[in-house]
Amino acid sequence: MVYTSRINVLVKKIIQETPLIKRFLLSPINKAALPSFSGGSHITTFIQSSGLNLQRSYSLCGNPSETQLYQIAIKKQAHSNGGSLYWHNEVKEGFKLQISYPKNYFPLSFKAKHHVFFAAGIGITPFIPMMLDLQSNGKSFELHYAAKSKIDCAFYKRINVLFPSNIYFYFSNEGKRMLPEIMQDQLIGTHVYFCGPQSLIKQFTKKAIDYGYPKTSIHFELFSSQPKLDAKPFEVELHKSGQTFYIPKNQSLLKVLLEAGIKVPFSCQVGRCGTCAIEVLSGEIDHQDYFLSDKEKKDQKTILPCVSRCKSSKLILDY
Amino acid sequence: MKQLKEDIDEFPFPFKSNDPYRFSNNSIPLNPPISIDVTSKYIEEIKLKRDLLKTVHNRCYQSTPDTYEAQWEVLNLVMHHLSDMYPDRFKLKKEKDHWSFTNLITNETESFIYRDNSSLTLEPLDVIGRHVQEDLLILMEKDNELYLEAGQLCFPGRWSLVFKLGMTFLEIHQPIPEFNDTGLGDKIRRFLLNLEAGNPFERLNWALTIGYHLDTSIETFHKWGHKQKEVTPENVGSLVHLRVERQKLFRLPKSNSILFNIHTYLLSFEDLVQNPEWRSTFYDIFTNLPDYILKYKGAYAYKDTLIEYLKKFQQHA
Amino acid sequence: MLDMDHATNKNFTFVTGRRKYLLFTDITGYGEITPILSSLDEQNLLYMVYYFNEFSSNHDLKTYLSQQKMGTYIYASGNWNSIISFVKTAEKAGFTEEELQIKGIGERILRVFCSRCYAINVCKTSKEMVCQSCGQSLSVSNHYSRRYDAYLGYTILN
């Protein structure tokens, strides 16, 4: 048997969950079982076909103990850079691809007395296995889930069946809004989890801190790396080779380097794992990651090129 | 003890260049990604392990109730690795959840129901550890921190599993000089927190030790500790050994914990000096070590005697 | 279990940004909380002060603490026995290191874990001692375990 860091799977079934969300069921090829995982895990999917090289991460949304099938749900994004469109338009049942092992950068707290989940739209995905894990361990939790409407609410029925109590839906077409005030009267020992667009995570995190939640009781998963709204282009020089690159405002430094054939090791692409860290010799870094410590950010010596940018006009990298 | 040629061939010499040695995160991707190495010392070391587990079980085996899921994952991983990599020595048969693992070297079969604790007489980690030369430790990830929560440890390099159980990664390494103050500890801690399933790592760690003894527990230090004072110019080559631990790190995806395993190798200096490259690399590194590292590595007491011994060979070379 | 090793010599630091503060003390510990009280008054923050003995049992204390909302912060100072028992109860109620500061008053009993026989010896501050259980001479290190609330005593060779 050959041990590799990727798993070959095929798309066994595709289910249209909502007008914009499809659920994909993946089953192993040449392998008896998939590894079981912990709630909050995601996989990276690798698609290589006709010059295309797509590498995208999606939360696992099925049962963590199920080893014959992995489930991911993908929303068709209007402004997608190709990932969701390809999955929606090109991927059919029987399609073969490679995936990573499950990785978890959004694990449940062990010390929480009560877990409160806040999901917006497709952000619901990691919470389903997390709640299944809690349920099987007899732990206390509640879910708040906002969507445009019942029709646009992925897993509406499944959630109602799986979790009979402490589930709250907020459909904006019915005039209901999911508000951060829900956090205000939670008892000591509560941990909160946010998943959805960056604006929601920022708003809820700020409110939680205002209410006096310690940072360690606040957890969130960035759904995908979204280009910074006010990003500006900059220049990069590689100290060792002397090569220079222009980083346009809508592309990450990592992407530019990879496309130039520079083999920077990378993994999560959302500034979480620290794999792609590069030493910086000069230039002012605009840190956008969630990995480096406050001190490291202040020191201005390391950049995570997957998300971080440049405040001055040029960075010189020790590469 | 004079060693066989194959022992020397199997020995993972830990120094790669003449770079001065300092504490660092010297982990590299593990390739091939296999948790276990079965060496020519298998039968001897398994016997030693089982004897220790029989006589001082509490010293060699510790676990907290939270670790059952992780223990089953370790058993699963190791049984698959053994039967896949050494099919003539280990067999694994699975019929749904009914597993049967056969060790053809010791002629034993373990039959059990996977993830059913009551189907085994010992805990899963204690079962699988008896079939490998490696010591097996489980670090649980909880709230962005890593805790040592279970281990089968028969060949410790001067530490106590009983005392360290339940400690965080940084607490475990508190005795290493300059480890936590310099920020190195925190860097390695974050490296471990980012360890992903499917991408295991390994590193080599080393120390010096007296005699061919794998079990250097602090619990028995009163029995073996005085030996370091018995090193003389005449016996240094046969008495002093380079102790190398090949440490491997695997993320276990179901429990989100980490398997940390240690395979310990020993080589006497009279055997080590037979390899001119090893001898000269070690000499360069050893003579440039600051005292705080020498003390931590257990070599301070007989440093000069060992240097004189190595020098003799350097001059002949 | 909270790290008593690090809690031993630290003075209180004033933590802002919480909605409610609970201060627990006794006669010996009251002096430690007065600077915190003045900071809370200055900033016009909500707080309550309790003596440890106002709660008739740990169960009553736990019930009270469990009913607190997120955003509550605790300062506790007093003799070591009260502090250790208080911390255990507060942790059971859901308070974490980030929501709690403690300050023990007086000399703390040093606990030393014998590396030879695992007995935990209780002694006054010292660098060397003899294990009361196995008679081994021990050198007391600063290697600390929260699980045992004890420091490791290494074997001294004769």
Side-chain angles (χ1 to χ4, degrees), chain C residues 90-101:
Chain C
E91 290 198 318
K92 274 185 204 146
F95 283 87
T96 61
E97 280 176 71
E98 291 79 19
E99 292 157 315
L100 173 67
Q101 278 182 53

Side-chain angles (χ1 to χ4, degrees), chain A residues 106-121:
Chain A
F106 196 33
L108 289 163
S109 163
F110 274 72
K111 55 185 174 196
K113 298 266 161 200
H114 181 59
H115 306 255
V116 184
F117 299 101
F118 293 91

Side-chain angles (χ1 to χ4, degrees), chain A residues 12 20-22 33 54 63 69 110 122-123 129-130 143 148 153-154 173 179 195 197-198 200 209 223 245 283 305:
Chain A
K12 189 143 194 198
L20 286 178
I21 296 173
K22 279 183 178 178
L54 277 182
N63 186 329
L69 276 180
F110 274 72
I122 189 69
M130 289 166 99
L143 168 71
K148 265 187 206 149
C153 180
N173 75 329
L179 296 171
C195 190
Q198 209 164 9
L200 172 121
I209 288 169
F223 195 55
F245 298 98

Side-chain angles (χ1 to χ4, degrees), chain B residues 52-187:
Chain B
L52 283 163
L53 286 163
K54 201 169 173 182
T55 52
V56 280
H57 188 260
N58 182 48
R59 189 190 102 195
C60 301
Y61 189 81
Q62 291 283 317
S63 69
T64 67
D66 281 353
T67 56
Y68 267 106
E69 190 75 74
Q71 291 193 37
W72 281 110
E73 285 191 280
V74 172
L75 175 140
N76 182 333
L77 182 95
V78 171
M79 284 187 177
H80 278 95
H81 285 183
L82 286 173
S83 58
D84 289 338
M85 297 308 290
Y86 305 97
D88 51 335
R89 286 176 262 185
F90 303 93
K91 302 272 180 220
L92 179 62
K93 271 191 212 152
K94 295 192 285 185
E95 272 174 49
K96 286 189 178 163
D97 286 340
H98 290 259
W99 292 28
S100 167
F101 173 77
T102 302
N103 181 337
L104 296 164
I105 307 172
T106 59
N107 211 9
E108 293 165 305
T109 296
E110 312 273 5
S111 298
F112 55 91
I113 299 163
Y114 186 62
R115 290 182 77 219
D116 177 350
N117 296 333
S118 66
S119 69
L120 286 170
T121 48
L122 297 166
E123 293 188 9
L125 185 68
D126 204 5
V127 169
I128 191 59
R130 288 164 197 252
H131 294 278
V132 296
Q133 293 156 272
E134 282 78 3
D135 285 319
L136 305 174
L137 303 163
I138 292 174
L139 296 168
M140 292 276 287
E141 181 176 332
K142 292 180 175 179
D143 291 273
N144 211 31
E145 192 55 84
L146 293 161
Y147 297 89
L148 173 61
E149 298 230 357
Q152 193 196 62
L153 178 80
C154 293
F155 306 143
R158 298 194 287 169
W159 63 284
S160 165
L161 174 63
V162 174
F163 185 68
K164 290 203 200 262
L165 192 77
M167 284 192 192
T168 66
F169 178 77
L170 292 184
E171 287 166 351
I172 291 167
H173 294 91
Q174 187 275 340
I176 303 182
E178 303 201 348
F179 188 78
N180 290 353
D181 309 339
T182 56
L184 174 65
D186 190 55
K187 252 190 199 148

